[in-house]
Amino acid sequence: MANAKVIQAKQEAVDVVSAKLRESVTTVVADYRGLNVSQVTELRKQLRDAGIEFQVLKNTLLRRATAAAELTELDEVLTGPTAIAFSADDVVAPAKILNDFAKKNEALKIKGGVVEGRVVSLEEVQALAELPSREGLLSMLLSVLQAPVRNFALAVKAVGEKEEQGA
């Protein structure tokens, strides 16, 4: 009877992880071997502050979850100790945080990931990490939208000043 309960618990865990794989806009897979407790704690804090869920999972469980989520191409990077970061909202944040952390802590190795339902390589995760954050992109868009209004205001001001000088 205990065996049935264990199997059911494992199946529920697979279902939860496969749902996260399907629902996340970005998932990043990393090898955390060599990080000490304080480093892992700092990484978890940075991810948690950005609203990203970070878990250490067994590769067997992950392979079953990728099969259920129809993302079996991810299985090739599921070797060694595996940590996985799920983001339901921000596409860039998990890649950026893990990439920045890996630059400071060589023990963390990004393996690959899933972006909007498509399995991506290490290089694609790193390219995603180089993009500006959502706030940065919104700031750029706002600046572009404000430029015509700002230029018009400057032109009106210049005409007004010119007329004042001529009067």
Side-chain angles (χ1 to χ4, degrees):
M1 203 60 179
N3 233 0
K5 288 182 180 178
V6 170
I7 291 172
Q8 182 181 359
K10 287 183 178 181
Q11 184 56 48
E12 288 172 4
V14 167
D15 292 344
V16 167
V17 173
S18 66
K20 287 179 186 175
L21 283 168
R22 280 191 296 271
E23 294 165 6
S24 296
V25 291
T26 301
T27 301
V28 178
V29 180
D31 181 342
Y32 63 94
R33 183 180 11 211
L35 291 178
N36 62 36
V37 174
S38 65
Q39 290 170 321
V40 172
T41 303
E42 175 59 28
L43 177 59
R44 284 183 185 273
K45 180 186 180 312
Q46 289 178 23
L47 291 165
R48 189 176 39 253
D49 290 347
I52 299 162
E53 186 176 345
F54 186 71
Q55 293 181 316
V56 173
L57 298 167
K58 291 185 179 263
N59 290 328
T60 311
L61 183 140
L62 276 170
R63 283 190 190 95
R64 290 187 178 165
T66 58
E70 299 176 359
L71 295 167
T72 53
E73 305 99 64
L74 193 62
D75 290 354
E76 64 188 55
V77 299
L78 299 180
T79 57
T82 301
I84 192 162
F86 300 101
S87 176
D89 302 321
D90 195 336
V91 176
V92 177
K96 184 176 284 302
I97 292 169
L98 286 170
N99 192 52
D100 290 348
F101 196 85
K103 285 179 183 175
K104 296 175 191 159
N105 303 278
E106 292 181 13
L108 182 72
K109 306 275 189 257
I110 297 173
K111 298 180 185 181
V114 179
V115 177
E116 295 183 341
R118 188 176 70 83
V119 175
V120 295
S121 67
L122 164 64
E123 292 77 22
E124 290 172 297
V125 172
Q126 289 173 330
L128 183 63
E130 299 304 320
L131 291 175
S133 66
R134 183 175 189 272
E135 289 76 21
L137 289 170
L138 288 173
S139 173
M140 288 178 193
L141 176 63
L142 186 60
S143 177
V144 168
L145 292 175
Q146 285 179 334
V149 174
R150 185 174 39 243
N151 292 342
F152 177 72
L154 289 173
V156 169
K157 182 180 176 189
V159 168
E161 288 174 354
K162 187 175 182 181
E163 286 182 5
E164 281 181 18
Q165 288 175 356

